[in-house]
Amino acid sequence: MTATITDARRLVVKIGSALLVDERSGQIRRPWLAALADDIADLRRRNVEVVLVSSGAIAVGREHLGLTGRPLKLEEKQAAAATGQIRLAHAYEEILRWHDLTVALILLTLDDTESRRRHLNARSTITQLLALGAVPLINENDTVATTEIRFGDNDRLAARVAQMISADTLVLLSDIDGLYTADPRRGGSAQRLDVVTEVTAEIEAMAGAAPPGYSSGGMITKLKAARIALSAGCRMAIARGTHRHPLRALEQGAPCTWFLPAAEPLTARKRWIAGALKPMGSLTIDDGALAALARGSSLLPAGVVGVVGDFQRGDAVAVRTRDGRTVGRGLSAYAAADARAIAGHKSGEIETILGFRGRDEIIHRDDLVLD
Ligand code: GLU
């Protein structure tokens, strides 16, 4: 992968509170957002899929609840987020509508990206929205997230989202134009790095502590995000977002730090399915299905002749032939009981059998690895 966003197909952009919200007034910087919307519209015109991960709910909401001038307790932040999120989403909706772009709001917790069942649901919803031409706007579901299940920072949330939807590019818009060998605000001879291919201990040592103010990030959380992105085969940029049109500037080669992965997103996802997940059961398939899988097709229920084990939707399962040979592994779109009920049936019959219209495929080809 190269150090540019010009060939991005699926792009996640993280927008921090400090860029979007004026700290003193708690107001959204609408001219800045309008300029960003121009950039997004340009990308959408070139058929780049764009997903926004935006902070700012707490920064916008606190003013309206009289929670200003002091650090907030967790429940006060959650209360602020509850009112701020409405205003935030409204601003995005209004400004992107000028470009005829439809915004769709998704609030996620850590669990939604880590638990496999929820992961599969969130992934399908986001990819469905992208297929329909919408711009998903994502934030942490601050009001329900407790201390233990919080992301706490949207840098990591954005990287998890990028991983979950197999995005090829993640841009963290920040108040600084990249990773420096030392904190450039302290003066001295700090140098910005152009490209990083691995987050080593030496790289980590370059990140100072989080800066003051209401943004929860800092370079440390950005490096955590970089680790997640790199392992998911997604390149990531830390770029300055303080000026108007930050994405256009990045396309035109504005200075930034790129983190470049060794693999492509789909390859990284398949490696994860092949290696990291323990199969919770298996699906036995007939010869016709085996031939179809070999041609790169998804596994349909019609080709399944047996279901073993007690697995949940989203769990990994082994794929076997009738003579017991394991030929691959994948994420099942159906729990074991449902898989048993629809095995051998046409996809068009799923709704009648189960009472709901699930996926046509029992294992989607993107969720399948053949041995
Ligand atoms: N989810 C929080 C908000 O919208 C922000 C978290 C962060 O700053 O990274 O206010």
Side-chain angles (χ1 to χ4, degrees):
M1 274 203 202
T2 45
T4 172
I5 66 166
T6 49
D7 60 357
R9 306 299 321 145
R10 183 171 283 178
L11 169 69
V12 178
V13 183
K14 186 259 171 174
I15 300 138
S17 301
L19 295 175
L20 186 64
V21 185
D22 180 77
E23 189 170 9
R24 262 172 315 173
S25 65
Q27 297 295 313
I28 294 173
R29 293 196 177 98
R30 296 178 75 92
W32 182 86
L33 185 56
L36 181 73
D38 294 341
D39 295 2
I40 295 166
D42 285 346
L43 289 158
R44 290 291 305 123
R45 265 192 289 278
R46 288 186 357 234
N47 285 326
V48 181
E49 296 176 324
V50 182
V51 173
L52 305 176
V53 175
S54 179
S55 310
I58 298 169
V60 168
R62 58 190 299 171
E63 174 84 10
H64 299 276
L65 295 175
L67 294 169
T68 48
R70 62 180 169 82
L72 303 185
K73 290 186 285 203
L74 178 61
E75 57 270 31
E76 289 173 327
K77 283 188 187 170
Q78 292 178 305
T83 182
Q85 187 62 54
I86 303 175
R87 292 164 208 271
L88 199 63
H90 187 247
Y92 275 97
E93 193 277 330
E94 198 176 49
I95 289 173
L96 282 164
R97 186 157 26 97
W98 298 342
H99 295 281
D100 280 332
L101 291 172
T102 299
V103 175
L105 179 65
I106 298 181
L107 300 178
L108 294 175
T109 58
L110 194 56
D111 224 29
D112 300 323
T113 64
E114 285 188 342
S115 129
R116 286 194 294 284
R117 193 163 10 144
R118 294 202 187 182
H119 166 120
L120 217 56
N121 285 339
R123 176 181 162 96
S124 341
T125 308
I126 297 169
T127 49
Q128 179 68 73
L129 284 166
L130 291 172
L132 294 170
V135 178
L137 171 67
I138 299 177
N139 197 356
E140 181 162 17
N141 195 350
D142 287 306
T143 48
V144 300
T146 56
T147 323
E148 318 80 70
I149 63 158
R150 287 200 90 209
F151 279 102
D153 67 83
N154 276 4
D155 293 328
R156 255 183 326 146
L157 170 65
R160 285 271 180 231
V161 166
Q163 173 184 48
M164 189 163 69
I165 61 169
S166 308
D168 51 55
T169 313
L170 165 64
V171 173
L172 303 181
L173 292 179
S174 169
D175 55 0
I176 187 162
D177 60 359
L179 174 67
Y180 281 75
T181 49
D183 189 340
R185 287 164 303 190
R186 300 220 175 90
S189 57
Q191 301 271 320
R192 189 181 47 75
L193 303 180
D194 282 332
V195 171
V196 174
T197 51
E198 200 189 341
V199 182
T200 58
E202 193 193 351
I203 293 287
E204 267 174 349
M206 293 175 189
Y214 51 69
S215 68
S216 49
M219 208 39 86
I220 292 171
T221 67
K222 290 184 175 42
L223 292 186
K224 285 192 180 145
R227 266 185 199 284
I228 298 169
L230 290 184
S231 74
C234 176
R235 68 187 150 188
M236 180 187 113
I238 299 175
R240 186 190 290 286
T242 45
H243 46 254
R244 302 266 169 99
H245 300 293
L247 297 175
R248 192 180 297 169
L250 198 56
E251 287 201 66
Q252 289 166 355
C256 69
T257 299
W258 278 105
F259 294 78
L260 298 181
E264 302 277 318
L266 206 55
T267 319
R269 181 172 168 79
K270 294 215 168 185
R271 198 179 307 135
W272 170 67
I273 293 169
L277 299 177
K278 188 166 139 323
M280 305 299 284
S282 67
L283 300 177
T284 307
I285 61 169
D286 62 20
D287 293 345
L290 182 61
L293 297 191
R295 287 195 303 269
S297 301
S298 299
L299 178 61
L300 301 178
V304 177
V305 294
V307 177
V308 176
D310 182 22
F311 48 87
Q312 298 291 317
R313 170 176 151 78
D315 278 340
V317 290
V319 178
R320 298 217 164 98
T321 54
R322 283 183 206 266
D323 55 7
R325 198 160 48 90
T326 301
V327 290
R329 187 185 279 203
L331 304 184
S332 175
Y334 289 90
D338 292 343
R340 266 181 207 110
I342 61 174
H345 289 275
K346 292 211 167 59
S347 300
E349 298 173 70
I350 293 176
E351 189 168 4
T352 323
I353 298 171
L354 298 180
F356 64 89
R357 180 146 180 229
R359 275 195 174 184
D360 285 351
E361 312 87 15
I362 203 159
I363 302 179
H364 190 273
R365 61 171 181 275
D366 288 352
D367 297 335
L368 180 77
V369 199
L370 295 182
D371 289 344

